[in-house]
Amino acid sequence: MSHSKSSLETFQLGPFIVPRIWVGLWQLSSNAWGSAPAAKIRQGMARHVELGYNAFADHYGSAEILFGQYRETLAEPTTVLGATKWCVFRQTEPSRSVVEDVVRERMTRMRTTSIDLLQFHWQDYSDEGYLPALQILQDLQHEGLISAVGLCNFNTIRTDEICTQLGPGFIVSNQVQFSLIDTRPLHGMADVCGRHGVKLLTYGTLCGGFLSDKWLQQPEPDLYTGDLTPSQRKYLDVILKAWGSWTLFQSLLAVLREIGDRHSRSIANIATRWVLDHPFVGAVIIGARLGVSEHPDDNLHVFGFTLSEHDNKAIEAVLEQSNGRRMISTIGDCGAEYR
């Protein structure tokens, strides 16, 4: 089976045409995921771009700096998109100078004269400073410092409020968790995205790698073992305490393996395809431990096929046995776990 970057699906995000799989850089935040020299990380970025993955997301650790260094080496830097974030975790007075300083700091770190996509996270909804902050970001967009603005882990009510207040076309995306395990975006967020033309950029789609062939027919791992990455500890906790059990999770993996056999695809391919088949999803952000552990070739197999009605019914038969549809109540809406 031959796949190339020409087979990648794309979508419109603000002024950009981008692939439906993005490279997530959050692993650069800590050596707990494993580490590699900066040169090897930049080589990993180049390898992804050669395959057509020309959109990178996240700002943790040295991600912005390494991305900026890599993009600066390109003959045509504008062919690669860099998404970064402004996360407000404590009370902030969003004056023009404060907001502009944040944007210019990111421009400096990424070695650019304009931020491609600035994703905005605001921790405390009771402090409604997020609206004036976004209005200033809108001004900076009009002035050319930002090309597109998105949200990160905003819930349905606030996403609807922001899009209504600031007008159509301003907010292009919301980055939230969405997977076969965590289906909370189906409860309200999907409708708001459709109404305002917002696309979800989803993370956690492979649950830190648990939704893969590696874990099929494996015993339940120890949550506190040193063998798990921070992402795996997070998602194992969700699987066991919020979603269901390891036994039921193994049933899901078995069904995904059967579907994968029908399409000559991996379990990860099927899990990713299921998310991408929702029209409100723009792209899936798949974390890559650049220079340590990455799967760009396998991810190309997400494209070039569709899940059948029979496939989706088999998946749903397992999901119905889980607590997944109740997580909107037990955990809360998108992003509630961080507040």
Side-chain angles (χ1 to χ4, degrees), residues 205-220:
T205 295
L206 297 179
C207 293
F210 279 117
L211 284 166
S212 68
D213 288 282
K214 176 183 177 180
W215 290 97
L216 179 63
Q217 297 179 346
Q218 293 300 307
E220 180 180 324

Side-chain angles (χ1 to χ4, degrees), residues 78-91:
T78 56
T79 59
V80 176
L81 179 139
T84 188
K85 289 179 182 169
W86 176 27
C87 298
V88 181
F89 292 111
R90 56 181 180 270
Q91 191 163 17

Side-chain angles (χ1 to χ4, degrees), residues 35-110:
S35 60
K40 200 170 181 182
I41 291 169
R42 291 192 293 269
Q43 288 169 7
M45 291 179 179
R47 192 161 48 247
H48 279 79
V49 170
E50 285 169 12
L51 289 170
Y53 304 108
N54 63 349
F56 294 81
D58 258 314
H59 70 306
Y60 300 107
S62 57
E64 290 172 323
I65 293 169
L66 288 165
F67 173 80
Q69 291 170 346
Y70 162 68
R71 188 162 67 172
E72 199 173 48
T73 67
L74 300 177
E76 297 182 60
T78 56
T79 59
V80 176
L81 179 139
T84 188
K85 289 179 182 169
W86 176 27
C87 298
V88 181
F89 292 111
R90 56 181 180 270
Q91 191 163 17
T92 300
E93 186 63 40
S95 66
R96 164 75 192 218
S97 62
V98 166
V99 179
E100 184 172 342
D101 285 349
V102 165
V103 171
R104 291 194 179 277
E105 179 189 25
R106 279 145 185 77
M107 289 164 56
T108 299
R109 286 167 63 88
M110 299 178 83

